[in-house]
Amino acid sequence: MRSRPIGFLLASLAGAALVLGGTTTATATAAPESAPSGSVGTADACYTWSGTLREGSSGEAVRQLQIRVAGYPGTGNQIAIDGVFGPATKAAVTRFQAAYGLGADGIAGTQTFNKIYQLQDNDCTPVNFTYAELNRCNSDWSGGKVSAATARANALVTMWKLQAMRHAMGDRPITVNGGFRSVSCNSAVGGAANSRHMYGHAADLGAGPQGFCALAQAARNHGFTEILGPGYPGHNDHTHVAGGSGRFWSAPSCGI
């Protein structure tokens, strides 16, 4: 079982905001992150932030933050995981804060980091998803179109996008049928020659309690640049979501 970080009880536990169709409503009582709130140095087994981050900040601390808020880029968008805290990162942080009832000012401090600590396991994956779910091909992430380390890192970003999507859909479980594929695994299942599965960006989702169309529709708001679902050839039995460059959404039976 994952151990809770020291100081976890200091985190704001305000009621989660309603997130629907890319809009967010935050509670009115949460203090903004810009207000004085003491040390940000809460210990965490995965990654510990040691100071407040805001627009203009840069470095590894920002990159780690961007991974966790990758699912909040706004409808049709995707934020760069580049360690530069620009306007897009500020907007994503603001949406993350609003989704969890925090003071939504786009400044990442104690409240934001404590919420992230609550949401992640010691291996940095979000609490509701695992590396094993995102790789049913092999154990070492090798053999794809990118290095094993890059494929695994891409899968981590995908999981945080799915965590955001799960929260927006009422925190109901999302079934992941598969993710990363080596070139040989992709060939064995008849995957496309340029499949984003081989880069670690992609996940195939089962219907779960939401249904394929609801998953495809929600994915538009959470950083997925490729969405394929019912009505697209070969995708009537799952919803495919992926990151990466460009955008291609097609789920005709779902109005996409």
Side-chain angles (χ1 to χ4, degrees):
M1 178 179 292
R2 178 173 59 90
S3 59
R4 296 295 185 186
I6 299 169
F8 167 70
L9 294 178
L10 296 179
S12 170
L13 296 179
L18 174 64
V19 182
L20 181 60
T23 61
T24 57
T25 305
T27 57
T29 57
E33 290 278 23
S34 54
S37 54
S39 172
V40 187
T42 302
D44 184 75
C46 165
Y47 184 85
T48 299
W49 285 271
S50 59
T52 300
L53 300 175
R54 65 187 72 221
E55 191 168 2
S57 298
S58 62
E60 180 62 13
V62 173
R63 193 183 74 85
Q64 292 289 337
L65 175 64
Q66 289 169 327
I67 292 169
R68 276 63 167 190
V69 300
Y72 294 92
T75 302
N77 295 323
Q78 178 177 234
I79 69 168
I81 312 297
D82 59 5
V84 178
F85 200 129
T89 298
K90 179 180 179 180
V93 171
T94 301
R95 293 185 188 98
F96 172 87
Q97 292 167 329
Y100 285 100
L102 308 178
D105 59 5
I107 298 171
T110 304
Q111 295 178 36
T112 299
F113 297 135
N114 280 346
K115 175 54 66 175
I116 291 173
Y117 296 151
Q118 178 191 5
L119 290 173
Q120 71 184 6
D121 281 325
N122 291 342
D123 64 354
C124 300
T125 60
V127 292
N128 298 114
F129 298 93
T130 67
Y131 281 117
E133 288 178 289
L134 269 290
N135 183 358
R136 302 184 190 277
C137 171
N138 59 38
S139 61
D140 61 6
W141 300 84
S142 65
K145 292 286 192 179
V146 293
S147 71
T150 298
R152 194 172 190 270
N154 288 342
L156 181 62
V157 175
T158 297
M159 282 186 271
W160 280 100
K161 291 179 180 181
L162 289 172
Q163 185 71 29
M165 185 168 141
R166 184 186 193 275
H167 183 59
M169 299 182 79
D171 286 310
R172 292 181 294 172
I174 290 178
T175 302
V176 180
N177 292 331
F180 168 74
R181 299 173 190 159
S182 67
V183 173
S184 60
C185 284
N186 188 63
S187 178
V189 299
N194 61 345
S195 172
R196 297 190 187 183
H197 284 282
M198 294 183 289
Y199 297 82
H201 284 305
D204 288 340
L205 310 180
Q210 303 90 346
F212 296 131
C213 283
L215 291 166
Q217 291 159 355
R220 297 175 295 183
N221 303 322
H222 297 289
F224 292 110
T225 56
E226 184 171 86
I227 304 169
L228 305 175
Y232 185 79
H235 289 74
N236 288 327
D237 62 351
H238 69 282
T239 292
H240 165 93
V241 295
S245 60
R247 186 200 297 176
F248 183 59
W249 295 349
S250 183
S253 299
C254 307
I256 298 173

